[in-house]
Amino acid sequence: MTTLLGRRRIIPAAVDVDTKSLTESNVHNNNHHHQVAGKNSHHQHRLARQRSFRKDIGHVATETYLITRLTFTLLQYLGIGYRWITRFLALACYAMLLMPGFLQVAFCYFFSSKVKRSIVYGDQPRNRLDLYLPTDIHKPMPVMIFVTGGAWIIGYKAWGSLLGLQLAERDIIVACIDYRNFPQGTISDMVNDTSQGISFVINNIANYGGDPNRIYLMGQSAGAHISSCALLDQAFKESGKGDNVSWSISQIKAYFGLSGGYNLLDLVDHFDSRGLYRSIFLSIMEGEHSLKNFSPEIRIQDPRIKDSIPLFPPIILFHGTDDYSIPTVASERFASALREAGARAELILCDGKSHTDLFIQDPLRGGKDDLFDYAVALIHSDDKEALAKDDIAPPRRRLVPEILLKFARRISPF
């Protein structure tokens, strides 16, 4: 059961031809023609499959090279630090424990015809996005834009593949936006990339079967921070006179923030104690003087965006009560600041959930998932046909044994 506390919820852990006129020669020639045509068609189809397979393999190699290169660049920048090394080793063990599920998701990501990878939305190296399409697009479908987390350093669009695949099964198109990470870019680059990606989806998703009037936005962890900054930036643009904008915050039906941090001033020391050293964090955020500018909790109180507040979509913040990477109070205070500014905000606390439970372990576990069910129900709230299909939809498949999930939770560096 879900307990309602005002606008706060706590989710407990739980053409006909006369053949007689043909001569034998004509029959023979026609049969021969069809046989040749059939062989040619089969040959062309086989070549197409081979080209597609080679393309997929090439894409895997390109993506692997990108991740590896960025990892070594990051290692050179970070240097050696005890806390960082221990968390890196914990991350490696965490990934190994969940590998049975990750491999299944990766296979679908690289080889499913319903996943459109690396669609270009801008002119920067990582201005790419992935689209996850439902099997049957018989009418314009709702769209979820997802911005992945990764401590502003290891974020990558493929991290949203599990969410994308599972929502696509419920007839929701998912667009996972990639953006420049540090040290390839700093926070303003990340926010600009994300805003440009949102604009691309809003203005082009109809070409892929999406409904431009039913677009939702979700961010997780650092992605929640970046996407909320993009919303605030857009609000400032729309509050200015004569500013040209390519999208509007009013075009977002609802915003979901998962385990995000929204006041950087409160998080600098906390992150430092967990291995994201203060010097690195301030470099990502372009210096200590910029922390307020990239803190949505503070910026929402700026009187200059007062006229844009009514344009804001409903904002739903999810946070686990056992989240040690970003404390629960981060979402609590942001929700309060939003309400004080006049925005519609709801806080949903998930009892006993860690930073990665909501986004990784629970989806890999399969079955019922309060966050997933809540999001799907909200997105389909004005579509009776979709709601009826949701009622009879089979439970999500388990991808990882429970014992591995429990070990992974214990060793998780997040």
Side-chain angles (χ1 to χ4, degrees):
M1 294 294 290
T2 300
T3 305
L4 298 180
L5 302 176
R7 278 176 283 188
R8 171 191 295 197
R9 302 189 190 188
I10 299 179
I11 301 179
V15 166
D16 288 341
V17 175
D18 183 3
T19 56
K20 292 182 180 179
S21 65
L22 294 175
T23 64
E24 290 184 7
S25 177
N26 286 337
V27 171
H28 174 76
N29 288 338
N30 282 339
N31 288 339
H32 177 71
H33 171 76
H34 289 307
Q35 289 173 0
V36 172
K39 290 180 180 179
N40 287 338
S41 176
H42 176 73
H43 180 66
Q44 291 172 357
H45 182 62
R46 185 176 63 184
L47 288 177
R49 286 203 312 267
Q50 291 174 346
R51 284 195 297 267
S52 177
F53 182 75
R54 284 196 297 267
K55 182 179 178 181
D56 287 331
I57 294 298
H59 186 79
V60 172
T62 301
E63 302 284 293
T64 303
Y65 171 75
L66 171 63
I67 296 172
T68 303
R69 180 170 59 84
L70 291 176
T71 299
F72 279 104
T73 301
L74 178 63
L75 285 170
Q76 291 173 358
Y77 192 94
L78 289 174
I80 302 298
Y82 172 76
R83 282 174 295 180
W84 185 87
I85 291 175
T86 56
R87 297 202 179 278
F88 180 80
L89 292 174
L91 175 61
C93 294
Y94 175 80
M96 288 299 296
L97 287 168
L98 300 181
M99 195 58 66
F102 290 164
L103 290 175
Q104 295 176 70
V105 174
F107 181 85
C108 292
Y109 175 75
F110 286 114
F111 300 109
S112 172
S113 62
K114 293 302 178 180
V115 179
K116 308 301 180 184
R117 299 180 304 277
S118 296
I119 297 172
V120 177
Y121 70 79
D123 56 5
Q124 294 299 321
R126 296 189 61 176
N127 286 180
R128 306 288 187 271
L129 60 83
D130 295 330
L131 282 183
Y132 298 81
L133 307 176
T135 301
D136 179 22
I137 302 181
H138 59 282
K139 63 179 181 180
M141 298 294 186
V143 183
M144 174 71 84
I145 301 174
F146 180 70
V147 185
T148 184
W152 303 274
I153 293 173
I154 58 171
Y156 184 55
K157 57 187 173 66
W159 300 167
S161 53
L162 178 56
L163 176 72
L165 292 167
Q166 292 183 340
L167 285 178
E169 290 178 351
R170 295 297 188 92
D171 294 337
I172 299 170
I173 295 175
V174 179
C176 290
I177 297 175
D178 204 8
Y179 53 88
R180 285 169 286 177
N181 283 199
F182 184 81
Q184 194 176 29
T186 55
I187 186 61
S188 58
D189 298 314
M190 302 177 201
V191 174
N192 289 337
D193 287 353
T194 298
S195 183
Q196 191 171 358
I198 294 171
S199 175
F200 179 90
V201 174
I202 289 175
N203 292 293
N204 293 277
I205 199 62
N207 298 329
Y208 298 91
D211 187 347
N213 296 312
R214 289 192 293 164
I215 294 181
Y216 300 80
L217 177 63
M218 177 183 287
Q220 186 267 340
S221 191
H225 168 253
I226 294 168
S227 55
S228 57
C229 283
L231 281 180
L232 268 296
D233 268 10
Q234 195 64 24
F236 272 90
K237 291 178 183 178
E238 293 181 40
S239 63
K241 304 298 182 181
D243 281 5
N244 293 322
V245 295
S246 58
W247 65 281
S248 170
I249 53 176
S250 63
Q251 292 175 281
I252 305 296
K253 293 273 287 184
Y255 171 76
F256 302 90
L258 277 60
S259 311
Y262 309 99
N263 190 330
L264 302 183
L265 294 172
D266 294 340
L267 293 170
V268 179
D269 293 333
H270 174 76
F271 287 149
D272 183 79
S273 69
R274 294 186 60 81
L276 181 54
Y277 302 123
R278 184 184 184 90
S279 60
I280 298 171
F281 185 70
L282 293 179
S283 295
I284 296 171
M285 299 303 162
E286 302 172 1
E288 194 163 1
H289 64 280
S290 295
L291 294 181
K292 288 185 178 180
N293 295 332
F294 294 104
S295 293
E297 180 189 322
I298 297 174
R299 293 193 74 193
I300 193 67
Q301 303 171 48
D302 193 315
R304 290 176 294 174
I305 65 167
K306 183 178 180 180
D307 293 340
S308 297
I309 295 296
L311 299 176
F312 272 73
I315 296 175
I316 304 99
L317 304 177
F318 290 85
H319 219 115
T321 59
D322 284 358
D323 189 335
Y324 302 109
S325 292
I326 300 179
T328 307
V329 69
S331 288
E332 293 175 331
R333 291 174 178 170
F334 187 37
S336 296
L338 286 164
R339 294 176 193 136
E340 290 175 10
R344 295 163 290 175
E346 181 177 8
L347 172 64
I348 300 178
L349 299 180
C350 304
D351 190 34
K353 298 297 184 179
S354 70
H355 192 69
T356 55
D357 277 331
L358 299 177
F359 183 63
I360 301 179
Q361 284 98 278
D362 286 351
L364 288 172
R365 181 174 284 109
K368 182 177 175 56
D369 183 335
D370 291 306
L371 188 156
F372 180 85
D373 294 340
Y374 181 100
V376 171
L378 180 61
I379 294 171
H380 287 161
S381 59
D382 57 352
D383 189 333
K384 293 182 179 180
E385 179 187 350
L387 288 172
K389 289 182 66 176
D390 290 339
D391 288 339
I392 61 174
R396 295 183 301 170
R397 185 169 58 91
R398 176 184 285 275
L399 300 177
V400 177
E402 188 63 29
I403 189 170
L404 294 183
L405 290 170
K406 290 181 177 180
F407 276 122
R409 191 181 192 277
R410 284 179 171 270
I411 204 170
S412 173
F414 303 107

